[in-house]
Amino acid sequence: MLVGLSIRNVVLIDRLDLTFDSGLSVLTGETGAGKSILLDALGLSLGMRAEAGLVRQGSNQASVTASFEISGEHPVVRFLADQDMTLEEDLLVLRRTVNPEGRSRAYINDQPVSVSLLRSVGDVMVEIEGQFAQHGLLDAATHRSLLDAYGGLESEARQVADHWRHWQDLRRQLEDARQKLEQARRDEDFLRHALDELETLDPQPGEDARLGEQRQFLMNAERLLEALNGAAAELEGDGSSGAERALANAQRQLEKVADKAEGRLDKVLAALERAAAEVADAEAELSSVTADLDLEPKRLEEIETRFFALKDMARKHGCEPDELPALREDFASRLAGIDGGNEKLAELDRQAREAAKHYHDSAAGLMERRMQVAEKLSEAVNRELPPLRLEKARFVCQVTQQPEASWGAQGMERIQFEVATNPGAKPGPLNKIASGGELARFLLALKVVLAEASTVETLIFDEVDSGVGGATANAIGERLARLAVSRQLLVITHSPQVAARGRHHWRVVKEDDDSSVLTRVDRLEDESRREEVARMLSGAEITQEARAAAQRLMRES
């Protein structure tokens, strides 16, 4: 619910702070007093178009702040949460500033936001209906959701949307599988030849690195043999020499006198024994390495042949040698896909056709129920028209099945509110057929019928009583009052019958002095309110008869 509106330096308004209550609030005043400026200012805070002409002459900035009281379950809370914005309190504040060049900035609870986000939030909070409205019920995009809400069809609509998304997902999978199979078939000869080569080569994971190490080792075989033989000669010695013999001789010499050394030679003898064992191990390892080099003289040639075969195959396929095993598996998988591709396509096609049937059946059922609800909605709105002096007009909620190319998550039909203002005339869109005054009354009739279908809590009617009076104006006032039981209504009116029904009443006045022209808004209570209704009845000169008539209107309302 709108609870406050603060306006600074907008056209003829220098400073204005208004507070609002629930129920029906009316704004009255002489033509040209500035009632439309209030709507323009509010629209600015709701994200509507900003223009440099809105900035009051001589000011460097115009600003408008609209404050709303909301509950934790209000749809705007979830909407803002999806935008990573949270509300700390049950208060939503929308603010907009405009400079003299027409550039504007938008804020939600003092956080800078885009104008498009501000407009989206504004659409959730307020609907402006009237002969100059551009959104609300005139927006055909809202008609489907309003019809579903009116008929309680939201659950079925969500189910149709789920069926649509599942069907489209399977269609994409089927098309993707079909394209891959076609591509695989084009590449079949290459795949079979490449797979034969890879299976013949039989590359193994990590083989390239192992072959590289062996190749490097064998390429240095000559130098390695020379070093190995030299080391062995040094260890074995010549004749009576040699490390092992020297260690054994030293050990025997010391063992002869060990019993006389009182244990002092024990560590020396142990060290000599370990050294002898290490020398023996070293000689054995030298013999093994030497045997590797001596026993397979052709091994280097074999390893190089294998090593370069892997390199050539990897270069041919534009990959690393270690990727060849995975490439072989991929080629084999793709060929298997060709062999079993028809079965996979047939299964996906079966699933897609089944999903299409589920969508079609649920969408067709929903369309039928929408047609039934549309008929009830049309009848309900048409019952509201005669008292609003639209007895010759006819409202139609048009539900038209669309070709398959136009089907979607919302269903398989187009839904639009249409009117015919004369008997026998073909119905057309609301804003194309109805005149300004007729349009405002059509919108009022719609709103009365759809009162419970919309989540928007604040409705604004701009001169919905334009061009009518007497019983028609009284009928308009009665419907506005009925609608205000469950919604907050702000009504700009020239009709005393409508003004008399207001729970709250403001008068817009334009003050003109030698230096400037300003718009002022006064809240009226009791006597002042009766005087304003009397003025609306009698004109410039308020008579006692007008006051009595005003009192009677207010009492009857």
Side-chain angles (χ1 to χ4, degrees), residues 480-536:
L480 289 170
R482 193 198 321 166
L483 191 56
V485 172
S486 60
R487 293 286 187 275
Q488 180 190 41
L489 260 65
L490 274 66
V491 178
I492 296 175
T493 180
H494 288 288
S495 168
Q497 291 90 342
V498 173
R501 290 182 178 272
R503 181 178 175 186
H504 316 286
H505 194 150
W506 284 270
R507 180 178 58 201
V508 183
V509 180
K510 183 162 65 175
E511 296 180 335
D512 189 357
D513 58 30
D514 294 337
S515 59
S516 63
V517 177
L518 295 176
T519 290
R520 189 183 79 244
V521 180
D522 299 324
R523 183 161 187 154
L524 305 182
E525 302 287 352
D526 301 330
E527 186 65 26
S528 58
R529 184 176 168 218
R530 189 196 67 175
E531 285 293 296
E532 175 65 6
V533 174
R535 180 198 64 77
M536 299 171 74

Side-chain angles (χ1 to χ4, degrees), residues 100-149:
E101 286 74 43
R103 290 191 293 272
S104 72
R105 292 184 178 180
Y107 304 86
I108 297 178
N109 282 18
D110 287 331
Q111 296 183 52
V113 297
S114 66
V115 174
S116 62
L117 177 58
L118 184 72
R119 185 183 305 113
S120 296
V121 173
D123 288 343
V124 176
M125 301 308 300
V126 176
E127 280 187 17
I128 299 177
E129 308 291 0
Q131 56 181 316
F132 303 113
Q134 298 297 319
H135 301 286
L137 293 172
L138 294 184
D139 185 357
T142 67
H143 296 173
R144 185 189 306 273
S145 60
L146 286 170
L147 179 66
D148 287 348

Side-chain angles (χ1 to χ4, degrees), residues 383-555:
R383 283 196 298 269
E384 295 290 332
L385 298 182
L388 298 176
R389 216 176 73 182
L390 294 168
E391 59 279 348
K392 295 182 180 180
R394 180 169 56 95
F395 171 82
V396 179
C397 178
Q398 201 72 258
V399 180
T400 309
Q401 183 171 353
Q402 298 292 94
E404 184 174 343
S406 299
W407 294 357
Q410 293 182 321
M412 51 201 299
E413 70 287 311
R414 180 177 63 87
I415 297 174
Q416 185 166 337
F417 296 163
E418 298 182 349
V419 298
T421 55
N422 295 302
K426 184 179 179 180
L430 282 170
N431 56 343
K432 301 293 185 182
I433 301 297
S435 65
E438 290 174 331
L439 176 61
R441 281 174 276 147
F442 266 118
L443 296 178
L444 174 59
L446 265 170
K447 266 302 170 188
V448 169
V449 174
L450 294 171
E452 300 305 319
S454 174
T455 59
V456 178
E457 297 178 356
T458 300
L459 304 177
I460 297 176
F461 283 90
D462 180 18
E463 299 189 4
V464 68
D465 49 14
S466 177
V468 300
T472 303
N474 189 60
I476 291 174
E478 186 274 330
R479 280 155 178 76
L480 289 170
R482 193 198 321 166
L483 191 56
V485 172
S486 60
R487 293 286 187 275
Q488 180 190 41
L489 260 65
L490 274 66
V491 178
I492 296 175
T493 180
H494 288 288
S495 168
Q497 291 90 342
V498 173
R501 290 182 178 272
R503 181 178 175 186
H504 316 286
H505 194 150
W506 284 270
R507 180 178 58 201
V508 183
V509 180
K510 183 162 65 175
E511 296 180 335
D512 189 357
D513 58 30
D514 294 337
S515 59
S516 63
V517 177
L518 295 176
T519 290
R520 189 183 79 244
V521 180
D522 299 324
R523 183 161 187 154
L524 305 182
E525 302 287 352
D526 301 330
E527 186 65 26
S528 58
R529 184 176 168 218
R530 189 196 67 175
E531 285 293 296
E532 175 65 6
V533 174
R535 180 198 64 77
M536 299 171 74
L537 284 166
S538 63
E541 183 179 349
I542 303 176
T543 64
Q544 290 301 321
E545 290 81 2
R547 290 188 177 94
Q551 188 67 43
R552 185 171 57 256
L553 273 177
M554 293 169 64
R555 184 171 56 251

Side-chain angles (χ1 to χ4, degrees), residues 26-285:
V26 297
L27 286 86
T28 62
E30 298 282 359
T31 301
K35 297 185 294 298
S36 62
I37 298 175
L38 289 174
L39 269 189
D40 290 340
L42 177 60
L44 192 65
S45 70
L46 300 176
M48 296 181 187
R49 183 178 177 182
E51 297 179 353
L54 290 173
V55 182
R56 185 167 177 262
Q57 189 173 5
S59 301
N60 58 12
Q61 178 179 275
S63 71
V64 184
T65 302
S67 303
F68 297 86
E69 186 180 82
I70 60 174
S71 66
E73 292 74 35
H74 195 286
V76 78
V77 176
R78 180 180 297 177
F79 178 80
L80 290 176
D82 292 340
Q83 311 299 319
D84 295 326
M85 296 181 68
T86 56
L87 300 178
E88 299 298 333
E89 301 176 355
D90 295 336
L91 187 68
L92 176 68
V93 180
L94 309 183
R95 182 163 64 92
R96 186 94 171 275
T97 63
V98 185
N99 67 15
E101 286 74 43
R103 290 191 293 272
S104 72
R105 292 184 178 180
Y107 304 86
I108 297 178
N109 282 18
D110 287 331
Q111 296 183 52
V113 297
S114 66
V115 174
S116 62
L117 177 58
L118 184 72
R119 185 183 305 113
S120 296
V121 173
D123 288 343
V124 176
M125 301 308 300
V126 176
E127 280 187 17
I128 299 177
E129 308 291 0
Q131 56 181 316
F132 303 113
Q134 298 297 319
H135 301 286
L137 293 172
L138 294 184
D139 185 357
T142 67
H143 296 173
R144 185 189 306 273
S145 60
L146 286 170
L147 179 66
D148 287 348
Y150 179 74
L153 302 176
E154 295 96 334
S155 177
E156 294 176 63
R158 286 192 295 270
Q159 188 177 51
V160 167
D162 290 341
H163 285 316
W164 168 263
R165 284 189 288 269
H166 182 55
W167 177 28
Q168 297 309 302
D169 182 55
L170 286 171
R171 288 181 65 179
R172 285 189 292 270
Q173 290 183 43
L174 178 61
E175 183 59 28
D176 184 56
R178 184 177 289 117
Q179 290 179 3
K180 286 183 177 179
L181 181 59
E182 290 174 356
Q183 182 63 45
R185 283 173 175 161
R186 288 194 293 269
D187 297 340
E188 184 174 4
D189 290 342
F190 163 76
L191 289 173
R192 295 197 183 280
H193 176 71
L195 183 59
D196 286 343
E197 286 186 332
L198 285 169
E199 288 182 337
T200 300
L201 184 63
D202 191 24
Q204 300 299 314
E207 185 179 9
D208 180 59
R210 291 195 300 273
L211 289 174
E213 292 174 359
Q214 293 177 17
R215 177 172 174 267
Q216 191 66 33
F217 173 71
L218 293 175
M219 285 176 65
N220 294 292
E222 186 176 345
R223 292 181 60 189
L224 286 169
L225 275 173
E226 182 180 347
L228 291 170
N229 290 333
E234 291 294 330
L235 289 175
E236 294 173 358
D238 184 16
S240 61
S241 64
E244 193 172 356
R245 292 190 189 91
L247 290 170
N249 289 336
Q251 189 174 4
R252 283 195 299 271
Q253 293 292 331
L254 292 176
E255 285 175 345
K256 293 177 182 179
V257 295
D259 57 339
K260 299 177 176 61
E262 297 181 353
R264 289 182 173 84
L265 295 177
D266 292 349
K267 290 184 177 181
V268 177
L269 288 168
L272 289 171
E273 187 176 351
R274 289 196 303 273
E278 292 291 338
V279 169
D281 288 345
E283 287 179 343
E285 290 295 331

Side-chain angles (χ1 to χ4, degrees), residues 268-323:
V268 177
L269 288 168
L272 289 171
E273 187 176 351
R274 289 196 303 273
E278 292 291 338
V279 169
D281 288 345
E283 287 179 343
E285 290 295 331
L286 280 172
S287 297
S288 176
V289 175
T290 302
D292 286 344
L293 293 171
D294 285 339
L295 292 176
E296 299 185 59
K298 294 183 179 181
R299 180 63 176 156
L300 176 60
E301 182 180 350
E302 294 173 357
I303 287 175
E304 286 196 328
T305 299
R306 178 71 177 174
F307 179 77
F308 286 113
L310 289 172
K311 294 289 186 184
D312 290 343
M313 186 66 71
R315 190 180 302 109
K316 179 177 181 178
H317 292 290
C319 65
E320 295 297 324
D322 280 345
E323 297 172 356

